[in-house]
């Protein structure tokens, strides 16, 4: 982690052709395509659009109710579809759901399953590449925010974060914004913990 | 040209001072603000998002769109009502085509990537500054690209080739030639020419532009690094 460096689009990451995500090979050398952190054969983008993958858990908003199911807004260029056959609940337009992607095809249309309606709350839109940091190792970050604010946090892989507002949801949102801005730095968990603690007393 | 100095005191190989700030807009996915000489330009990027109108969509790649626009107050002569006109349509097209070469659009079928460029103040070479700022905005948006491109113009004044003409040199010089480079490969992505140049002058111009584009890339990279060196929750312009 310490040896990682920030690379720019078009910057060489390896002298020989290698298969690295977010990189491409030209004339036997490997170059980055994004602004990212590179270390030992791994390139992590620092910013980027959400690319749907099967088994991702996402937060979506029902945008259309149709005879056979629901269209769901997913914070990406691609609309998702949730078939009525997959679910027992009924939704209305504007409901927020937490669901699993079961299938995407080459034109990136998304099919959803295992949906669950989320109770009333607040939506925070963050960059999708920062979601792993918001969740933390073994949910550590989300658990910490919950413990300090009394808010349940549902973080979708697509960059939508749903704060279920029973506690101090303002503070929870601020913490999430802080994580988003500093996602590439070290020792973030401690800083967020200190921040939450200082805000809680006040 | 007096004693090898140009109208603003620069030498032939000197680029005007350039400052770029990345990530200045809250709601655009990527953005950048550039001050290059007296040019002031804001670039914002949206996407990939659903391509509208749908007849523009491609099943195989993202469509790159660009809108270059000059504010009515941007120049010494009033530009009148802003909006599409012959000049801005041409520039939108050449900027779009420069970026189509580097954006890896195959990753995002059926979508569009929109680049918006607003010229707030112009002083010659706005299309080059627009390309330079838009490249930073695209990188800031995390859109995969094969290179971070930059552009610079070269001109002929008093029979000599010089880099990065200002407004006076552009208007009263003998020739003006904006060029965009992919610094990684040296490929030319945008090439236009006003006036006439001999073959020797043209190759000298290309050489000057290539040297300058290395400096431009440095400034671009610095702007992007700064976003991560000094992370901010709110995005804003630092005045001064």
């Amino acid at each position: 982690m310490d040896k990682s460096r920030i690379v720019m689009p078009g910057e060489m990451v390896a002298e020989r052709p290698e298969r690295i995500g977010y990189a491409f090979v030209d004339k036997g050398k490997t170059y980055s395509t994004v602004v990212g952190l590179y270390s030992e054969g791994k390139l992590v983008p620092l910013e980027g659009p959400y690319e749907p993958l099967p088994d991702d858990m996402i937060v979506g908003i029902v945008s259309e109710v149709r005879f056979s199911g629901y269209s769901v807004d997913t914070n990406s260029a691609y609309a998702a579809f949730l078939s009525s056959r997959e679910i027992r609940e009924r939704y209305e337009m504007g409901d927020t759901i937490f669901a699993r992607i079961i299938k995407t095809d080459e034109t990136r249309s998304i099919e959803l399953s295992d949906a669950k309606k989320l109770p009333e709350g607040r939506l925070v839109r963050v960059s999708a590449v920062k979601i792993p940091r918001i969740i933390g190792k073994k949910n550590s970050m989300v658990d910490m925010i919950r413990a300090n604010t009394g808010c349940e946090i549902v973080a979708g892989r697509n960059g939508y974060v749903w704060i279920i507002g029973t506690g101090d949801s303002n503070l929870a949102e601020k913490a999430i914004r802080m994580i988003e801005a500093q996602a590439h730095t070290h020792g973030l968990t401690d800083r967020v913990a200190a921040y939450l603690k200082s805000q809680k007393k006040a | 040209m007096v004693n090898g100095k140009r109208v603003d005191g620069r030498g032939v190989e000197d680029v005007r001072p350039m400052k770029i700030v990345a990530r200045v807009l809250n709601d655009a996915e990527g953005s950048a603000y550039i001050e290059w000489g007296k040019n002031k330009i804001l670039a914002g990027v949206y996407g990939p998002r659903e391509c509208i109108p749908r007849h523009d969509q491609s099943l195989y790649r993202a469509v790159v769109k660009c809108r270059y626009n000059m504010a009515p107050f941007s120049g010494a002569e009033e530009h009148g009502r802003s909006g599409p006109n012959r000049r801005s349509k041409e520039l939108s097209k050449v900027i779009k085509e420069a970026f189509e070469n580097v954006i890896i659009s195959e990753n995002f079928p059926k979508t569009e990537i929109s680049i918006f460029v607003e010229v707030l103040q112009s002083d010659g070479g706005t299309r080059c500054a627009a390309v330079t700022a838009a490249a930073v905005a695209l990188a800031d948006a995390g859109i995969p690209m094969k290179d971070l491109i930059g552009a610079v113009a070269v001109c002929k004044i008093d029979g000599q080739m010089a880099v990065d003409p200002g407004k006076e040199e552009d208007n009263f010089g003998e020739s003006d030639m904006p060029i965009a480079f992919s610094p990684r490969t040296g490929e030319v992505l945008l090439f236009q020419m006003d006036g006439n140049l001999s073959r020797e002058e043209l190759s000298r111009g290309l050489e000057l532009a290539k040297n300058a584009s290395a400096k431009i890339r440095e400034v671009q990279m610095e702007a992007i690094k700064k976003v991560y060196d000094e992370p901010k929750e709110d995005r804003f312009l630092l005045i001064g």
Side-chain angles (χ1 to χ4, degrees), chain B residues 25-79:
Chain B
L25 305 175
N26 260 324
D27 291 335
E29 261 118 70
S31 54
Y33 172 69
I34 185 169
E35 284 183 12
W36 186 345
K38 285 184 222 157
N39 289 311
K40 295 182 180 178
I41 295 171
L42 198 52
V45 168
Y46 281 91
R49 59 181 179 180
E50 189 189 358
C51 184
I52 296 167
R54 281 178 81 157
H55 63 254
D56 284 351
Q57 268 182 10
S58 165
L59 277 171
Y60 306 105
R61 60 183 57 81
V63 177
V64 181
K65 293 181 175 179
C66 176
R67 194 190 75 164
Y68 165 100
N69 187 39
M70 280 182 116
F73 46 76
S74 63
E77 304 88 30
E78 208 207 324
H79 280 274

Side-chain angles (χ1 to χ4, degrees), chain B residues 144-194:
Chain B
M145 292 187 289
K146 289 191 172 162
D147 206 353
L148 191 62
I149 69 173
V152 67
V154 287
C155 63
K156 185 177 160 193
I157 15 176
D158 288 346
Q160 260 198 68
M161 296 305 289
V163 77
D164 188 23
K167 183 168 178 291
E168 291 77 16
E169 294 165 330
D170 187 359
N171 291 166
F172 304 109
E174 290 136 66
S175 181
D176 171 36
M177 180 165 74
I179 309 164
F181 280 108
S182 169
R184 184 176 65 80
T185 57
E187 285 169 324
V188 173
L189 306 174
L190 182 160
F191 189 92
Q192 295 181 297
M193 185 163 82
D194 252 0

Side-chain angles (χ1 to χ4, degrees), chain A:
Chain A
M1 193 67 178
D2 285 308
K3 274 183 232 150
S4 62
R5 62 186 169 102
I6 291 186
V7 292
M8 298 286 151
E11 194 172 323
M12 200 198 295
V13 291
E15 293 270 5
R16 54 203 175 81
E18 274 185 55
R19 279 190 71 154
I20 301 173
Y22 302 97
F24 70 102
V25 175
D26 183 31
K27 296 197 184 109
K29 288 176 178 163
T30 313
Y31 301 90
S32 171
T33 63
V34 290
V35 180
L37 283 175
Y38 178 78
S39 72
E40 293 154 18
K42 249 187 106 183
L43 181 58
V44 183
L46 287 169
E47 198 66 52
Y50 173 60
E51 288 171 63
L53 289 171
D55 284 332
D56 277 0
M57 297 300 293
I58 63 167
V59 171
I61 298 166
V62 175
S63 58
E64 196 182 346
V65 180
R66 284 194 266 173
F67 175 70
S68 55
Y70 303 91
S71 294
V72 182
D73 162 34
T74 59
N75 190 29
S76 73
Y78 310 104
F81 187 71
L82 174 61
S83 169
S84 294
R85 271 182 292 180
E86 304 282 345
I87 41 165
R88 292 187 186 163
E89 299 175 298
R90 294 199 155 273
Y91 306 124
E92 280 172 31
M93 212 174 110
D95 283 350
T96 309
I97 58 167
F98 190 53
R100 190 166 61 83
I101 296 179
I102 47 172
K103 204 172 113 190
T104 66
D105 63 14
E106 53 274 15
T107 61
R108 302 290 169 84
S109 49
I110 306 168
E111 278 175 46
L112 296 175
S113 170
D114 299 344
K116 198 182 132 217
K117 187 175 163 179
L118 293 170
E120 205 156 284
R122 160 187 316 207
L123 185 72
V124 181
R125 191 178 162 223
V126 298
S127 178
V129 295
K130 300 192 168 153
I131 291 295
R133 218 59 218 275
I134 287 168
I135 295 169
K137 273 187 192 145
K138 290 181 187 155
N139 292 333
S140 60
M141 203 73 98
V142 165
D143 286 343
M144 189 168 70
I145 297 173
R146 187 200 299 123
N148 283 283
T149 63
C151 286
E152 195 73 40
I153 308 284
V154 182
R157 265 286 178 182
N158 54 339
Y160 276 162
V161 180
W162 190 249
I163 303 171
I164 299 167
T166 43
D168 189 350
S169 52
N170 277 330
L171 180 57
E173 183 178 343
K174 274 186 193 148
I176 287 165
R177 291 270 173 237
M178 180 176 163
I179 300 166
E180 188 196 11
Q182 303 181 17
H184 60 288
T185 57
H186 300 295
L188 181 59
T189 316
D190 299 335
R191 250 174 296 139
V192 175
Y195 172 76
L196 286 169
K197 211 167 221 173
S198 69
Q199 293 295 307
K200 219 166 123 186
K201 269 180 203 159

